[in-house]
Amino acid sequence: MPERYRPIVDVHVILEHGSEILLLERQGTGYCDGQLHLPSGHLEAGETLIEGAVRELGEEVGVRAAAVDLRLAAVVHHRQNSDLARIGFFFATSRWEGEPFNAEPHKCGKLLWCDPRVLPTNTIAYPAAGITAYLEGEPLVTHGW
């Protein structure tokens, strides 16, 4: 019997500050180093999507968002390669406590506030697809299939 399909579940957070969103430059991870991504990560066993999103914000940019302030902005079913798929839940918020800072300098080079309508060319395609879906009001998109 074939093994059951098991995509990785990711949570991404779009921090909205006026007309800009926060992106992080990856470094030292071996995955897309030098490219830009949202605060994000894998959902951990036993946590809800919202709990994972709140945790990732704290771990990566040192801010705390209330669960009620995170709204689901888009879902992206992403095919990373022929053997690996991910389902990314993109949340957005303009409310949080604290000032974002690089809380993981061993994984992040810098933080950048960017216009989501004109993403830098070194933005990773997967989160860019989620950001585009968020801007266009598309609740579900596929990427890489």
Side-chain angles (χ1 to χ4, degrees):
M1 183 146 219
E3 192 170 318
R4 209 173 269 236
Y5 176 66
R6 298 181 193 277
I8 295 171
V9 177
D10 298 319
V11 290
H12 309 257
V13 183
I14 300 168
L15 287 181
E16 306 163 320
H17 182 66
S19 62
E20 297 179 315
I21 64 170
L22 186 66
L23 296 176
L24 292 68
E25 181 185 62
R26 297 183 60 86
Q27 89 174 5
T29 68
Y31 173 74
C32 295
D33 290 337
Q35 295 185 347
L36 302 174
H37 204 301
L38 294 163
S40 64
H42 306 115
L43 188 66
E44 293 182 357
E47 70 183 353
T48 67
L49 292 167
I50 295 287
E51 289 169 343
V54 167
R55 176 183 51 76
E56 288 294 344
L57 277 176
E59 289 176 2
E60 294 194 357
V61 295
V63 300
R64 174 115 177 109
V68 297
D69 290 328
L70 294 177
R71 66 187 186 284
L72 184 61
V75 177
V76 177
H77 191 195
H78 170 67
R79 185 175 187 190
Q80 191 162 329
N81 59 48
S82 63
D83 297 332
L84 180 61
R86 309 175 94 86
I87 297 177
F89 292 85
F90 289 73
F91 295 93
T93 187
S94 59
R95 296 175 50 108
W96 62 85
E97 294 176 13
E99 185 65 32
F101 69 94
N102 184 357
E104 294 185 320
H106 59 289
K107 293 181 180 180
C108 177
K110 61 185 170 184
L111 306 181
L112 302 162
W113 289 101
C114 301
D115 182 339
R117 293 171 301 280
V118 188
L119 291 173
T121 58
N122 63 331
T123 305
I124 300 169
Y126 169 33
I131 293 165
T132 299
Y134 147 80
L135 289 171
E136 295 177 357
E138 290 292 329
L140 175 65
V141 297
T142 57
H143 179 262
W145 292 89

